[in-house]
């Protein structure tokens, strides 16, 4: 009986030790219900759980103040690593300071490398791909509605790529509109509806709408349907399942798929690598090429990437 009791106590002690050893990843999401945020969180979560970590997610609703508050909260909770999605590193200064004081490594998705950040990703390439596709499609002469979003670092980088891609095209006139989020789909619908009214079909210049991510474009596509317009080239970025279906249906000209799920997995692996390397770690930027998805390749793409992953 004593042996049975001892074995039970030993097993219980081992379980307690296992629980005590579990590490935690704190994720600070820009918009937790956005398709690309969901994908990157999914990739990081899958990798973290495979490594025996727990994961906590805070939705900031695109507020830098809430992002800093979340990072401070995670630092107080003594999580083992923090992963910040799509905020510029310059906007999360107090959160970074709290993490540094607590000795917690911080990874970002799209942020700049600054002290305290061990790894980030780059959103510039998909921006370059999107504007190249758009300008090739319309030629050097067009009226374009560009929907930008400066609270999100990925959209900032994509916007820079767009600006640089059109600046040499002297006959491309751009109307800029800053997206409001939450409510980005509704914003895209209302903004595109007004722009389409001001740019009727049959003019002497091609028309195009560009969005730095898919959700405002979903609203724009709905506005085009409501207006019965098929004369506008539409290009967005992320490659969400909804956007891919719009491409397949012929309602969206192109979306540039960003491999966010894989980025989430690789960022978490870099966190592990940085913790193992300690002071010898050199901050790194992960770059995974995206894919421009159009009517021509959407069926193959969807077959090769089930659920958009």
């Amino acid at each position: 009986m004593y042996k049975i009791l001892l074995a039970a106590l030993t097993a219980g002690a081992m379980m307690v030790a296992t629980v005590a050893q579990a590490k935690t990843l704190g994720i600070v999401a820009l918009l937790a219900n956005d398709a690309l945020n969901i994908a990157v969180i999914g990739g990081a979560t899958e990798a973290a759980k495979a490594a025996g970590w727990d994961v906590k997610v805070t939705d900031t609703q695109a507020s830098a103040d809430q992002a800093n508050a979340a990072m401070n909260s995670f630092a107080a909770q003594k999580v083992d690593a923090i992963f910040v999605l799509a905020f510029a590193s310059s906007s999360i200064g107090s959160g970074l300071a709290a993490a540094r004081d607590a000795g917690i490594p911080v990874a970002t998705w799209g942020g700049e490398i600054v002290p305290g950040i061990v790894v980030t990703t780059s959103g510039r390439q998909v921006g370059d791909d999107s504007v190249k596709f758009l300008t090739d499609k319309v030629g050097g002469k067009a009226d374009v509605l560009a929907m930008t979003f400066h609270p999100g670092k990925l959209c900032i980088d994509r916007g820079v790529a767009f600006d640089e891609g059109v600046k040499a095209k002297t006959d491309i006139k751009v109307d800029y509109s800053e997206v409001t989020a939450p409510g980005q789909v509704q914003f895209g619908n209302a903004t595109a509806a007004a722009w389409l009214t001001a740019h009727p079909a049959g003019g002497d210049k091609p028309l195009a709408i560009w969005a730095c991510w898919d959700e405002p474009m979903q609203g724009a596509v709905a506005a085009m349907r409501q207006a019965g317009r098929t004369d506008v080239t539409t290009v967005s970025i992320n490659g969400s399942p909804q956007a891919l279906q719009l491409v397949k249906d012929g309602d969206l000209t192109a979306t540039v798929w960003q491999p966010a799920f894989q980025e989430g997995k690789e960022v978490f692996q870099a966190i592990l690598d940085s913790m193992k390397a300690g002071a010898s770690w050199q901050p790194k930027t992960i770059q995974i090429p995206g894919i421009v998805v159009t009517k021509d390749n959407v069926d193959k793409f969807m077959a090769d990437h089930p659920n958009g992953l």
Side-chain angles (χ1 to χ4, degrees):
M1 179 176 180
Y2 290 113
K3 289 183 178 180
I4 294 173
L5 178 60
L6 180 60
L9 290 172
T10 301
M14 290 176 65
M15 289 179 64
V16 170
T18 300
V19 170
Q21 291 170 3
K23 297 183 183 298
T24 299
L25 173 67
I27 298 180
V28 180
L30 181 78
L31 292 164
N33 63 347
D34 169 74
L36 205 64
N37 276 233
I38 291 170
V40 74
I41 290 168
T45 298
E46 179 179 286
K49 290 191 176 298
W53 286 46
D54 294 326
V55 177
K56 296 180 178 180
V57 180
T58 297
D59 183 3
T60 67
Q61 292 290 285
S63 166
D65 289 341
Q66 290 191 42
N68 281 293
M71 294 177 72
N72 275 274
S73 176
F74 282 144
Q77 295 171 47
K78 301 187 185 302
V79 301
D80 297 279
I82 298 173
F83 185 17
V84 182
L85 274 58
F87 282 98
S89 299
S90 57
S91 70
I92 53 171
S94 71
L96 282 171
R100 285 197 302 269
D101 290 345
I104 299 171
V106 177
T108 70
W109 184 52
E112 314 94 315
I113 294 289
V114 298
I117 291 179
V118 298
V119 60
T120 190
T121 62
S122 173
R124 173 61 192 256
Q125 184 60 56
V126 289
D128 288 329
D129 293 341
S130 72
V131 69
K132 183 179 186 305
F133 177 87
L134 185 148
T135 54
D136 286 349
K137 188 77 173 176
V138 302
K141 181 179 180 181
D143 286 332
V144 181
L145 169 64
M147 293 189 284
T148 58
F149 185 65
H150 285 83
K153 183 59 170 62
L154 289 173
C155 268
I156 291 174
D157 292 343
R158 295 167 180 180
V160 170
F162 176 84
D163 291 342
E164 293 184 0
V166 299
K167 69 180 180 181
K169 312 290 185 180
T170 56
D171 286 331
I172 290 183
K173 179 181 178 295
V174 181
D175 294 316
Y176 288 92
S177 189
E178 181 75 0
V179 176
T180 299
Q184 56 269 31
V185 176
Q186 295 85 347
F187 177 92
N189 182 275
T191 301
W195 187 84
L196 289 167
T197 299
H199 295 79
D204 62 348
K205 296 174 70 175
L207 301 175
I209 300 176
W210 178 90
C212 72
W213 87 106
D214 288 330
E215 292 194 343
M217 184 61 79
Q218 291 173 32
V221 166
M224 289 175 58
R225 285 174 174 166
Q226 292 158 6
R229 298 286 293 272
T230 59
D231 58 307
V232 182
T233 295
T234 48
V235 182
S236 61
I237 305 171
N238 280 4
S240 67
Q242 297 88 343
L244 292 169
Q245 188 61 48
L246 290 175
V247 172
K248 183 176 177 63
D249 293 342
D251 293 315
L252 177 61
T253 310
T255 182
V256 184
W257 175 73
Q258 182 168 345
F261 190 88
Q262 185 63 29
E263 288 174 345
K265 292 179 67 174
E266 294 199 16
V267 165
F268 181 75
Q269 183 58 52
I271 290 172
L272 294 181
D273 294 343
S274 74
M275 294 172 71
K276 182 177 180 180
S280 66
W281 176 257
Q282 294 296 315
K284 64 183 291 187
T285 299
I286 293 170
Q287 297 191 61
I288 306 175
I291 298 173
V292 179
V293 183
T294 69
K295 188 76 170 176
D296 293 337
N297 66 345
V298 66
D299 288 333
K300 183 178 187 308
F301 177 88
M302 293 176 76
D304 292 342
H305 300 83
N307 301 315
L309 302 179

